[in-house]
Amino acid sequence: MDCSTFINDPLVIGKWKSFGTLSPEEPFSLEKVDTSRKTTYEGTDEIYFLPHGDKYWIFEGWTKGSLFVHLGGDEPVLTYQYSIEPAETALYLLFPKMGPNGSTAVFQKIDDKEYTWESLGRRDKIDYPFVSDNHVLGRWVSVKFVERKEDFAPGHHETDLWLKSLEFLPDGSVNQQYGDDIWRNRWTKGLLLNQSMSTAAKYEIRHIKGKDYLFLEWKMGNYVFGGQPPEYYVFTREL
């Protein structure tokens, strides 16, 4: 989003929770909202509009009348137009074509707090002292992304993973290659400590069919903002 084009909308700032859906082109009324069909993104049914159009997680920011959503990677940034409707004692946010099968997603306003990125989601304790682990030192290359550790089986390796590699250094720092970018974080025995997200991702090395594999909890937006359990990146040692 181009911040220079931001237009404020004080009425939209705050927390909104999915209320239901309307059939496409259906005029809004509470009686016509199907409350059995909620709109969710990556497992969450809540949207926060932060002051100044600030972004968080997959929500790339907003300006008056529009919300921008990016699901990651090479996916395009989606623009959803919104309108606000009062009904009884509450406000409702309508997003045409956001709901299932092109329906209008309806969200109810929960509060009008001025949230910040830092105040949202869940965070882990990350102020652990450094304890070395000689077995993990060196560079590891990602080969798979799985929902559970038990889902992994050696064989076909994926080559288009976003997190390309990890390099655990003896001083307690770790280099993470995301695409063409290198992120630098900290680690201690058994944990990768993400300083910007305030998460402590557990790692485990398993010896499978004569080879070491490192399993790392994936604790990014889905975990922090979506409330989802972590999935796993799987790595092999660089030869």
Side-chain angles (χ1 to χ4, degrees):
M1 186 188 78
D2 183 357
C3 294
S4 65
T5 64
F6 173 67
I7 300 174
N8 194 25
D9 183 0
L11 202 59
V12 83
I13 292 173
K15 177 181 178 180
W16 300 79
K17 192 173 184 66
S18 182
F19 183 75
T21 58
L22 280 172
S23 298
E25 310 300 331
E26 182 78 52
F28 172 73
S29 72
L30 287 181
E31 294 76 16
K32 294 179 180 179
V33 177
D34 183 353
T35 57
S36 69
R37 300 174 68 205
K38 300 293 198 301
T39 300
T40 63
Y41 265 115
E42 303 293 332
T44 184
D45 63 354
E46 297 173 345
I47 297 177
Y48 296 82
F49 281 75
L50 309 185
H52 316 297
D54 288 348
K55 64 181 181 179
Y56 77 99
W57 188 27
I58 59 173
F59 301 105
E60 284 288 304
W62 62 277
T63 188
K64 187 173 184 177
S66 299
L67 173 68
F68 307 105
V69 178
H70 184 220
L71 297 179
D74 296 328
E75 294 292 324
V77 176
L78 304 175
T79 300
Y80 290 109
Q81 305 298 322
Y82 73 78
S83 61
I84 299 175
E85 298 284 350
E88 296 181 354
T89 60
L91 292 178
Y92 294 87
L93 193 63
L94 275 59
F95 292 100
K97 301 181 181 180
M98 179 192 271
N101 301 318
S103 59
T104 296
V106 181
F107 286 74
Q108 184 181 47
K109 191 161 196 181
I110 304 302
D111 62 49
D112 57 2
K113 295 180 182 177
E114 294 192 354
Y115 291 92
T116 63
W117 182 92
E118 294 83 3
S119 69
L120 297 178
R122 55 177 170 174
R123 304 293 196 273
D124 298 334
K125 168 183 167 65
I126 62 171
D127 57 341
Y128 291 94
F130 175 60
V131 178
S132 188
D133 179 2
N134 290 334
H135 196 38
V136 81
L137 292 175
R139 191 167 184 268
W140 298 78
V141 179
S142 61
V143 296
K144 204 76 172 177
F145 185 76
V146 295
E147 183 177 350
R148 303 173 305 164
K149 296 178 188 177
E150 294 72 22
D151 295 334
F152 174 73
H156 174 69
H157 291 172
E158 299 179 47
T159 58
D160 59 349
L161 297 169
W162 185 44
L163 175 52
K164 303 295 185 184
S165 66
L166 301 172
E167 184 180 11
F168 291 84
L169 302 175
D171 64 355
S173 61
V174 58
N175 294 326
Q176 301 164 259
Q177 182 179 352
Y178 292 94
D180 296 327
D181 298 327
I182 301 295
W183 296 5
R184 193 173 178 87
N185 270 303
R186 292 178 49 243
W187 69 277
T188 188
K189 187 173 183 177
L191 295 171
L192 193 154
L193 307 171
N194 189 316
Q195 306 301 290
S196 62
M197 297 292 285
S198 293
T199 57
K202 295 178 182 177
Y203 72 78
E204 177 189 357
I205 298 174
R206 293 186 176 184
H207 196 70
I208 304 173
K209 294 186 178 181
K211 182 180 289 188
D212 284 341
Y213 292 92
L214 185 148
F215 292 78
L216 176 71
E217 289 182 329
W218 182 239
K219 286 188 170 183
M220 294 296 279
N222 290 28
Y223 171 82
V224 174
F225 301 113
Q228 301 298 300
E231 297 177 302
Y232 295 87
Y233 265 93
V234 186
F235 303 79
T236 57
R237 291 187 186 275
E238 184 177 59
L239 300 179

